[in-house]
Amino acid sequence: MRLDKFLCESTELTRSESKRLLKTGSVSVEGVIVKNPACKVTDDAEILLDGAPLTLVGSRYIMLNKPVDTICSTHSGTRAELYPSVIDLLNVIKSDRLRIAGRLDVDTTGLVLITDDGQWSHKITSPVKKCGKRYRVELAMPPDQSAIEQFAQGIQLQGEKKRTRPAQLEFISHQEVLLTIHEGKYHQVKRMFAALGNRVTALHREQIGSITLDPDLEAGEWRYLTEDEINSVQEVTS
Ligand code: URA
């Protein structure tokens, strides 16, 4: 690709800013100062800006441990004035390209996957792909054992024509359960329990497909996914 394009794809610089910068002689390619914006470079060329190496952004795959009082939104708006977006926690360049693969409510915590690869994200969010999302749920009241069967049969949510897809419920303690769902309707987990006359008091997402929230990540921390984690989405859901 052209050198000025490489600069745009590895920094926040615009094309015209890149061209201006090149004229100053602060960019070297394989050890040689290059001022020509049309110079062709390979993706893995050693390109330094004021001595610091530049790398192409490429496709990014991120897991974040969402804290409470943050929103899964990429746009600013009234809510964004009240709560920061999870994207703001990343502090990476070209964050406007990033999309959230499966949003969580402002008061929900846990695993959020963020990427600029639209196809990969679609494999997680499309109900057709049936990618499982596992939640740890705290409830206002101890649920009845019969809830296991009700979730397995699908729950009739208010305002929906069809029942939810079969979901798997496991009891952890009196008022704490694990619930795995395979779709992502608006406030789905809270509405499922509301349909059974219960109320969710805390909600935490632990797993998406076979990607589990890294226990080393404190609330608000993030890391890039491993190759295996990225590829697992294809294997599990396609
Ligand atoms: N279901 C909910 O009700 N809220 C979430 O944040 C995620 C799933």
Side-chain angles (χ1 to χ4, degrees), residues 61-62 100-103 111-115 117-133 181-184 205 207-211 225 229-230 232-234 237-238:
Y61 305 87
I62 289 168
I100 297 159
R103 291 156 192 263
L111 178 60
V112 174
L113 297 177
I114 301 168
T115 183
D117 180 342
Q119 286 186 345
W120 188 83
S121 172
H122 180 71
K123 291 194 169 107
I124 291 170
T125 52
S126 165
V128 179
K129 305 281 181 183
K130 298 187 192 144
C131 177
K133 288 114 193 159
I181 59 174
H182 302 270
E183 56 205 329
R205 186 158 63 194
Q207 194 168 334
I208 296 175
S210 59
I211 302 174
L225 297 186
E229 286 169 333
I230 297 166
S232 76
V233 170
Q234 261 117 31
T237 60
S238 57

Side-chain angles (χ1 to χ4, degrees), residues 103-105 108 135 181 187-191 203:
R103 291 156 192 263
L104 295 177
D105 297 336
T108 304
Y135 293 86
I181 59 174
H187 293 328
Q188 180 160 343
V189 176
K190 291 173 186 165
R191 288 165 70 206
L203 189 56

